[in-house]
Amino acid sequence: MSSQLISSSPTITEIPTPKLHSRSHTLSQRTQIPLHVYKHPAAILLELSTSIKEVYQILPHIIKSNLYTEHLFQTKLLSLFCNHGCIAEAARVFEPIQDKPEVLYYTLLKGYAKYSSLHEALLFFVRMKADNVKPVVYNFTYLLKVCGDKGELRRGKEIHGQLIKNGFSSNVFAMTGVVNVYAKCRQIEEAYKMFDRMPERDLVSWNTIISGFAQNGLAKLALGLVVKMQEEGKRPDSVTLVSILPSVADMGLVKIGRSIHGYVLRAGFEGLVNVNTALVDMYSKCRYIGIGRLVFDGMKRRTMVSWNSMIDGYVRSGYAEEAMAIFEKMLDEGVEPTDVTIMGAARACADLGDLDRGMFVHKLSDKLKLGTNVSVMNSLISMYSKCKRVDLAVDIFKKLRGKTLVSWNAMILGFAQNGRVNDALNYFYEMHSRNMRPDTFTMVSVIPALAELSVTRQAKWIHGFCIRSCLDDDIFVMTALVDMYAKCGAIHTARKLFDRMNERHVTTWNAMIDGYGTHGLGKAALELFNEMQKGVMKPNDVTFLSVLSACSHAGMVEEGLSYFTSMKRDYGIEPGMDHYGAMVDLLGRAGRLNEAWNFIRKMPIEPGINVYGAMLGACKIHKNVDLGEKAANKLFALNPDEGGYHVLLANIYATASMWGEVAKVRTTMKKKGLQKTPGCSVVELRNEVHSFYSGTTNHPQSKRIYAFLEELGNKIKAAGYAPDTSSIHDVEDDVKEQLNSTHSERLAIAFGLLNTSQGTPIHIRKNLRVCGDCHTATKYISLVTGREIVVRDMQRFHHFKNGTCSCGDYW
C-alpha cells in the first residue's frame, strides 16, 4: 500500500472505470466447499467468537489443520479482523487470496473506512477499480460517511461525482450519504438541494437533513422540516426527536418541547435512554430544570451523557450545589466520569467557590489521566481562579501543553478577577507577542482589568487595539469599553461610544447608567434610564441597582424610593440584598437614619453585611452613636474578622469624644489581631504606575514629596483650609495634622503635581473611601494650583476643580 499523501496520489476521478471482463471469482462459480470444512470445530468456534482475543486463540488450529487457504476461513477471518478494527491483519489475509471475490473487497473497504484513515480508504477504492471490481452503493456510503465525519468537503465532492458516474444518483441510500457530507461540511444549502432533488426520501433521509439544519444552527428551519416531514406522511422516530430537541432548547421553545414530550409518551419512546437524555437537556436549557430532573429520575437506565446533561443543566440554571449532588451520586453508583463530567463539576465548584471539592475534582481528573486534555485543564484554571487560588491556576497553565486561546483567556480573566491587574495585562501582552489573535472573550477579560487601573492612556491604547483587531463593532467589546472609560474618569468619552453603538445589550445600558451614578451625575443617569424604558430593552435587576446607587450618590431620595417600588410592581423584579443595601445607603446618606433603621427591620430577608455596612457608614457621616453601635454589633457577628468595621465604630466614638469607648474598640482589635486595610493610592506617570501608602517614605521621590506637601499645606491654609482632626486622639494637635497630611491620596497628588506640567489633570485611584479632611484639602489644592484632580475612591469619582468637587460635598 502506498505511503504517499492522498493529495499526491491519483484522484478518484482520474482513474478510468475499468472494462469488466469475465472473472472466476463470484461465489456462484466457486467449487462447492467440502462438508468437513463447514463442520470443522475451528469453523464452528470462529463463527461463535466474540472478541479478537478468541480469534487469535483459534487461528493456530486453522493453520495446523491446513484450512487457512479455504475461502470460508479466509472470508470469515477477514470479516472478523475488519469488525474488530485490525485492518493490517485483515490486509494480510486479503492479499494472498487467489481469485478474490468482490465481497472481500467490499468488506476490506468498509474496514478501511471505519478504522483507518480516509487516505487509506480512498487508495483501496482506487485499487478496487484497478482490479476491475465494480463498486456497489454501500462502498460510496462508507466513504461519504468518513468524509462527513472528517469535514473533507473536496473528497466528498469527488466521491459524489463517482457515485453519479456509477449510476447511483437516484439511490436513496447513496444520496442520503451525499446530503450528510454537505451538511457536516457546513454546506447546508447544497445539502438541501441534494435532498430536494431526491426522487424518493425515506425516514433516514429526513432525519439526516433535519439533523444537518439543527447542527448548523438553523433551529427554526429544522423545526419547519419536521412539520413538512409529517405532511408528507413520514412519522418522526426516536432519531428525529433526538435531532430536533437541541433546536428546541436553543430557541427556548419549551411549549414545543412539551408537545414533543407528549409525542414521546404516545409513541412509546419513553423507555429509550437517548430520547430521555435529550429531554433532560432540553428542559435544562429552557430553565425548566425541575421537569428535567423528573425525567432524569424516571429513567430506568442512564448513560454517561444522561448524567452529564443533568450536571450541566443544574450548573447552567445556577444550582451548583445540586450539580455537585448529582456528581457525587453518580460516583456513588460506580459510574466513571468522562472529561465532560469533570468540566461540569469544575464549573459547579467554581460557582460555589468551593476549593476543597474543586481540588477533589482535580485529583479525580489526574486519576482518569486527563492531564493532557486541554479543555479539562482550562476548566480547572477557571475553577481555581474563582476559588481565589490563582496561584494554582498558574501552575496548571504553565504545565499545560498545547495552550489554546481559551487557556489564555481563562488565565487573563483569572488574574483580573483576583485583582492582579498587572499580571492580567502582562499575560495579554505575552499572548499577543506569540501571534495569538485575541477574540471577544479576551478583550472583555482584559478591558475590565485596565478599567481597574483607571489609567486613561492605557484605556485609549486598548481601544485602538480593538479597532485594529476589527472588534470595535462587537457589542460586548463596546460595552466593556464604555464601562472602562467611565471607570477611568472619561465619562463623556464613554457616552460618545454609547451613542455610536448600533446595537445595545442591557449590560450596555447598565454600564452607562452606573457610570453616570459613580460620577455623581444622578440626573443624567435617570434621564438615560427613562430613555431605556421607552425602548424595547427591558431593565433587569442590575439596572435597578445602578439607578438606586445613582440616586444615592446624588441625594435623590424620593426618586430612589419611587424606583425601588416600581422595580417589583412594574417589572416583577424581586429586590435582592444589594438593592436593600442601596436603599439603606440612600436613606442613610441623606441623614434619614431612623427611617433607614426601620427599613432594615422590615426587610423580608435577613439583612446581610452590605446592608449593615451601609448603615454604619451613614452613622459615621452623621455622627449617630446609638444606631452606629447597633449596626456595628450586627457586623461583628456576621464578619468578626473584618477590622474596618471596628475602625469605623472607633471613629464614631472619637467624633463624639468618647475616648474610653475608642480605647475598648482598639483593645478588642488588638486581642483579635484585627487591622484596618491600609490606605493605598496609585497614580500613573508615563506608562508606569506609582503606589503610595499613608505615611510611608519608600518612594524614590519621598523627600521632594514631603517637602512639597509642607509648602502646599501652608498655601491651602492661607486660602482658608482648616484641618479636621476630630477622629484622632492620644497625640498632639500638630501630630494629628501631620498624620492627616500624609494620607495616601495626598502623597499621590503631590507626586502628580511635581511630575506633570501645568494644565495636566491628575488622576488618582484609592482603595478606600476618601476621608473628610482629605476631601476638603483636595478642593483647596485644586484651587491654589489651578489643576483639575480626579480621585476615584472605592465608591465613586470626585472631580476637583477650582476649589469645588463634583459630588457637591455629598458622598
Side-chain angles (χ1 to χ4, degrees):
M1 196 68 67
S2 172
S3 61
Q4 287 183 306
L5 291 174
I6 191 69
S7 58
S8 61
S9 309
T11 62
I12 298 168
T13 51
E14 289 171 350
I15 302 294
T17 303
K19 294 180 180 179
L20 296 178
H21 54 77
S22 177
R23 300 178 65 195
S24 59
H25 61 213
T26 60
L27 289 177
S28 60
Q29 295 172 310
R30 287 192 175 278
T31 307
Q32 289 289 325
I33 297 172
L35 188 63
H36 76 278
V37 173
Y38 274 117
K39 292 189 175 182
H40 194 281
I44 298 169
L45 289 172
L46 205 58
E47 191 68 36
L48 297 174
S49 64
T50 57
S51 69
I52 195 65
K53 184 178 179 182
E54 291 175 358
V55 175
Y56 278 118
Q57 289 173 342
I58 300 165
L59 196 55
H61 298 289
I62 297 172
I63 297 170
K64 186 177 180 181
S65 303
N66 201 28
L67 297 170
Y68 190 74
T69 56
E70 291 289 346
H71 284 292
L72 172 68
F73 284 94
Q74 291 170 336
T75 304
K76 188 61 181 174
L77 279 172
L78 182 70
S79 178
L80 284 169
F81 280 132
C82 285
N83 288 342
H84 290 291
C86 302
I87 305 304
E89 288 82 352
R92 289 193 195 102
V93 174
F94 176 82
E95 293 300 342
I97 298 174
Q98 298 295 319
D99 297 328
K100 301 176 180 68
E102 291 179 345
V103 69
L104 293 187
Y105 282 91
Y106 304 152
T107 301
L108 190 53
L109 178 63
K110 180 181 178 182
Y112 275 121
K114 190 172 182 181
Y115 294 109
S116 189
S117 65
L118 177 62
H119 169 74
E120 295 290 342
L122 291 176
L123 281 178
F124 189 76
F125 182 75
V126 171
R127 157 85 179 273
M128 281 174 55
K129 297 183 72 176
D131 287 354
N132 292 325
V133 178
K134 183 176 176 62
V136 294
V137 66
Y138 295 108
N139 300 151
F140 294 105
T141 59
Y142 299 149
L143 294 173
L144 288 168
K145 184 179 185 306
V146 180
C147 290
D149 293 343
K150 302 289 185 183
E152 289 280 356
L153 179 62
R154 184 169 69 88
R155 293 303 185 190
K157 286 182 175 181
E158 288 182 359
I159 295 166
H160 183 191
Q162 282 290 302
L163 184 150
I164 295 170
K165 191 174 181 180
N166 282 271
F168 295 121
S169 59
S170 297
N171 185 282
V172 66
F173 302 110
M175 291 311 297
T176 298
V178 170
V179 170
N180 180 61
V181 167
Y182 287 120
K184 286 190 173 177
C185 293
R186 308 195 73 79
Q187 302 291 311
I188 194 64
E189 289 185 10
E190 194 65 26
Y192 188 74
K193 283 180 185 177
M194 297 300 107
F195 174 80
D196 201 40
R197 291 172 186 170
M198 290 173 68
E200 179 191 355
R201 297 188 285 242
D202 63 4
L203 190 56
V204 178
S205 309
W206 280 101
N207 286 343
T208 301
I209 193 65
I210 289 167
S211 176
F213 272 98
Q215 291 171 358
N216 280 274
L218 302 169
K220 191 173 181 180
L221 293 174
L223 285 169
L225 281 171
V226 175
V227 175
K228 187 177 179 182
M229 166 190 181
Q230 293 176 91
E231 289 173 350
E232 293 193 11
K234 292 290 187 294
R235 179 187 170 98
D237 65 357
S238 62
V239 177
T240 319
L241 303 180
V242 171
S243 299
I244 202 64
L245 279 168
S247 295
V248 174
D250 291 342
M251 296 177 70
L253 301 174
V254 73
K255 287 185 178 180
I256 293 178
R258 284 178 165 175
S259 297
I260 293 173
H261 194 175
Y263 177 83
V264 167
L265 298 174
R266 293 191 300 275
F269 295 145
E270 70 273 15
L272 298 178
V273 65
N274 60 339
V275 173
N276 283 324
T277 299
L279 285 170
V280 169
D281 184 65
M282 180 274 296
Y283 280 122
S284 299
K285 288 178 178 175
C286 289
R287 304 289 177 172
Y288 282 75
I289 190 69
I291 301 177
R293 180 60 187 269
L294 287 173
V295 175
F296 179 83
D297 288 341
M299 294 173 69
K300 293 180 180 178
R301 187 171 69 86
R302 303 183 184 107
T303 64
M304 195 64 251
V305 179
S306 312
W307 289 98
N308 290 343
S309 294
M310 198 69 247
I311 291 168
D312 182 68
Y314 272 128
V315 174
R316 283 174 177 270
S317 300
Y319 298 105
E321 193 60 61
E322 286 79 359
M324 288 306 295
I326 289 288
F327 174 68
E328 289 158 7
K329 178 181 172 66
M330 183 194 78
L331 296 180
D332 290 342
E333 293 189 13
V335 181
E336 184 173 288
T338 64
D339 56 342
V340 177
T341 322
I342 295 297
M343 288 189 283
R347 282 178 58 201
C349 293
D351 292 345
L352 291 168
D354 192 329
L355 179 62
D356 291 337
R357 283 194 282 186
M359 295 181 82
F360 169 77
V361 171
H362 187 181
K363 288 179 182 176
L364 186 57
S365 73
D366 290 340
K367 185 178 177 181
L368 295 168
K369 295 182 172 55
L370 295 172
T372 57
N373 187 307
V374 178
S375 296
V376 171
M377 293 301 106
N378 291 343
S379 297
L380 291 174
I381 288 170
S382 296
M383 181 273 293
Y384 279 124
S385 297
K386 288 187 178 179
C387 290
K388 309 300 181 187
R389 287 301 304 271
V390 71
D391 56 317
L392 297 178
V394 171
D395 288 342
I396 294 173
F397 181 83
K398 286 182 176 178
K399 294 174 184 175
L400 183 60
R401 293 182 179 181
K403 297 178 183 70
T404 63
L405 181 60
V406 177
S407 312
W408 286 94
N409 288 347
M411 202 64 252
I412 291 167
L413 181 62
F415 281 128
Q417 289 172 335
N418 285 273
R420 291 174 58 171
V421 176
N422 289 328
D423 287 320
L425 296 176
N426 288 336
Y427 268 60
F428 173 73
Y429 298 143
E430 183 180 349
M431 185 191 87
H432 183 53
S433 70
R434 295 190 182 192
N435 296 320
M436 189 166 285
R437 184 180 177 86
D439 63 1
T440 296
F441 192 89
T442 316
M443 302 316 299
V444 298
S445 298
V446 78
I447 291 172
L450 276 173
E452 288 305 308
L453 280 180
S454 197
V455 177
T456 307
R457 188 196 306 269
Q458 291 194 356
K460 290 178 178 178
W461 177 84
I462 202 70
H463 186 186
F465 183 89
C466 291
I467 294 171
R468 293 190 298 275
S469 302
C470 300
L471 292 170
D472 55 316
D473 285 334
D474 185 276
I475 185 172
F476 299 106
V477 172
M478 289 299 291
T479 297
L481 288 171
V482 167
D483 183 63
M484 175 192 68
Y485 275 118
K487 287 179 177 175
C488 289
I491 191 67
H492 299 299
T493 305
R495 182 58 193 259
K496 285 179 182 178
L497 285 183
F498 179 86
D499 289 339
R500 288 175 190 167
M501 291 176 69
N502 296 321
E503 181 188 2
R504 301 182 187 117
H505 191 268
V506 64
T507 55
T508 317
W509 290 90
N510 293 348
M512 196 65 240
I513 292 169
D514 185 66
Y516 276 135
T518 55
H519 282 267
L521 302 171
K523 185 178 178 182
L526 297 190
E527 287 175 353
L528 188 61
F529 178 62
N530 291 334
E531 182 183 336
M532 178 186 184
Q533 288 179 304
K534 293 174 183 176
V536 295
M537 189 65 65
K538 298 297 181 186
N540 60 14
D541 57 332
V542 178
T543 315
F544 277 99
L545 181 60
S546 299
V547 168
L548 294 176
S549 297
C551 291
S552 179
H553 287 306
M556 305 170 77
V557 180
E558 297 307 320
E559 292 87 342
L561 290 168
S562 174
Y563 285 122
F564 182 78
T565 303
S566 169
M567 177 177 157
K568 185 174 182 180
R569 182 193 64 206
D570 300 330
Y571 294 94
I573 299 173
E574 196 69 39
M577 192 65 71
D578 289 336
H579 299 97
Y580 287 110
M583 288 303 296
V584 171
D585 189 60
L586 174 77
L587 295 167
R589 285 178 190 271
R592 295 161 65 165
L593 297 177
N594 289 326
E595 195 174 341
W597 188 252
N598 288 332
F599 180 87
I600 293 173
R601 292 173 61 190
K602 293 177 181 178
M603 281 175 57
I605 57 176
E606 192 67 29
I609 291 173
N610 62 332
V611 173
Y612 287 117
M615 189 70 208
L616 183 61
C619 291
K620 163 70 170 61
I621 294 170
H622 298 287
K623 305 174 184 178
N624 190 308
V625 175
D626 181 44
L627 291 176
E629 286 178 331
K630 290 180 180 179
N633 288 331
K634 292 288 186 180
L635 287 165
F636 298 160
L638 290 169
N639 191 2
D641 298 327
E642 175 54 57
Y645 304 132
H646 292 77
V647 172
L648 271 177
L649 181 61
N651 288 341
I652 292 172
Y653 285 141
T655 304
S657 299
M658 299 171 65
W659 304 117
E661 297 301 321
V662 173
K664 287 180 183 178
V665 173
R666 291 183 176 174
T667 300
T668 300
M669 289 181 67
K670 189 174 181 180
K671 285 181 180 179
K672 293 184 176 181
L674 303 178
Q675 291 184 336
K676 175 190 175 184
T677 302
C680 176
S681 297
V682 298
V683 60
E684 187 262 350
L685 181 68
R686 289 184 282 276
N687 292 325
E688 186 177 353
V689 176
H690 297 260
S691 301
F692 297 90
Y693 289 88
S694 298
T696 56
T697 57
N698 56 352
H699 192 276
Q701 296 187 30
S702 286
K703 287 185 178 180
R704 285 186 67 206
I705 290 169
Y706 277 87
F708 181 70
L709 276 175
E710 186 174 350
E711 178 187 338
L712 195 59
N714 292 330
K715 288 182 179 179
I716 61 177
K717 283 179 184 176
Y721 163 70
D724 177 10
T725 59
S726 58
S727 61
I728 306 174
H729 76 295
D730 290 343
V731 292
E732 298 298 326
D733 288 345
D734 58 336
V735 178
K736 291 181 182 180
E737 187 178 329
Q738 185 180 0
L739 289 172
N740 272 353
S741 68
T742 57
H743 278 184
S744 64
E745 58 264 57
R746 295 209 209 177
L747 297 176
I749 290 169
F751 173 80
L753 291 170
L754 284 169
N755 291 277
T756 56
S757 57
Q758 187 66 32
T760 305
I762 308 295
H763 289 263
I764 308 294
R765 182 169 60 89
K766 185 176 181 181
N767 65 331
L768 302 175
R769 182 177 182 271
V770 173
C771 75
D773 184 63
C774 285
H775 188 270
T776 303
T778 307
K779 287 196 296 182
Y780 279 98
I781 292 171
S782 72
L783 178 65
V784 300
T785 61
R787 302 284 283 275
E788 181 182 356
I789 302 170
V790 181
V791 179
R792 176 188 168 191
D793 68 10
M794 66 180 296
Q795 293 181 332
R796 60 166 299 152
F797 275 90
H798 298 267
H799 292 259
F800 298 94
K801 191 174 183 179
N802 298 326
T804 62
C805 179
S806 59
C807 73
D809 297 338
Y810 188 90
W811 90 105

